[in-house]
Amino acid sequence: MTDTATQIVCPACDATNRVPEGRPAGEAKCGKCHAPLFSAEPLALTDQTFDKHISRNDIPVLVDFWAAWCGPCRMMAPEFAKATAQLEPEVRMAKLDTEAAQQVATRYNIMSIPTLVLFHQGKEVARQSGALPAGHIIQWVRETLRD
């Protein structure tokens, strides 16, 4: 008998959780802090939390690299939130403020914002720059993961 589980990093306390196969991830709670593992809202990442969420989640992670002063970023924010409600729990949806997390933004060579970067198993698999409506975000993620 194989013990197949999916690792999901808690958005509240950053603990890594094992969600057993067959258990709906959307209903799972953190074993450490008991917070829901998914809330249908984007997770705010920092320089300190970014690597853990990218490398320890077994599911893909879509990161919106943005900044508060960026008009297109502010326009896309509600669209990204709508996409989050549609894509979670199959994809962890996260945002990274490039002004507050300059180390990560520099490491990934973020030259324009907003930029969406899709990570899977700790590696970048796709990138898309520019503001997109929710439908296009969802379509792009699903097509990319299908390939």
Side-chain angles (χ1 to χ4, degrees):
M1 180 161 92
T2 60
D3 177 27
T4 306
T6 302
Q7 289 193 123
I8 306 291
V9 179
C10 177
C13 73
D14 302 320
T16 303
N17 292 265
R18 291 171 41 90
V19 178
E21 182 179 12
R23 180 167 184 206
E27 298 172 8
K29 295 189 185 302
C30 177
K32 183 177 178 184
C33 74
H34 309 291
L37 293 181
F38 295 96
S39 63
E41 294 189 15
L43 166 66
L45 295 175
T46 66
D47 278 332
Q48 293 74 32
T49 61
F50 181 86
D51 287 330
K52 184 167 191 176
H53 283 270
I54 297 306
S55 65
R56 298 297 306 262
N57 272 305
D58 284 342
I59 60 171
V61 179
L62 178 63
V63 180
D64 173 16
F65 289 85
W66 70 284
W69 54 262
C70 169
C73 297
R74 290 194 314 272
M75 287 175 38
M76 190 173 82
E79 297 300 309
F80 193 79
K82 288 178 196 173
T84 300
Q86 296 290 314
L87 290 169
E88 283 193 346
E90 291 81 23
V91 177
R92 165 68 73 207
M93 304 290 281
K95 295 179 76 70
L96 186 112
D97 181 345
T98 58
E99 293 293 307
Q102 293 182 11
Q103 291 175 349
V104 172
T106 300
R107 183 177 3 142
Y108 285 95
N109 202 28
I110 302 300
M111 303 301 275
S112 64
I113 52 175
T115 293
L116 300 176
V117 180
L118 184 62
F119 296 90
H120 193 226
Q121 299 176 333
K123 300 198 182 324
E124 179 178 335
V125 295
R127 182 181 290 227
Q128 173 76 45
S129 293
L132 297 172
H136 287 129
I137 295 170
I138 294 164
Q139 180 181 8
W140 176 71
V141 168
R142 289 189 173 148
E143 286 177 359
T144 302
L145 293 175
R146 209 177 345 214
D147 293 341

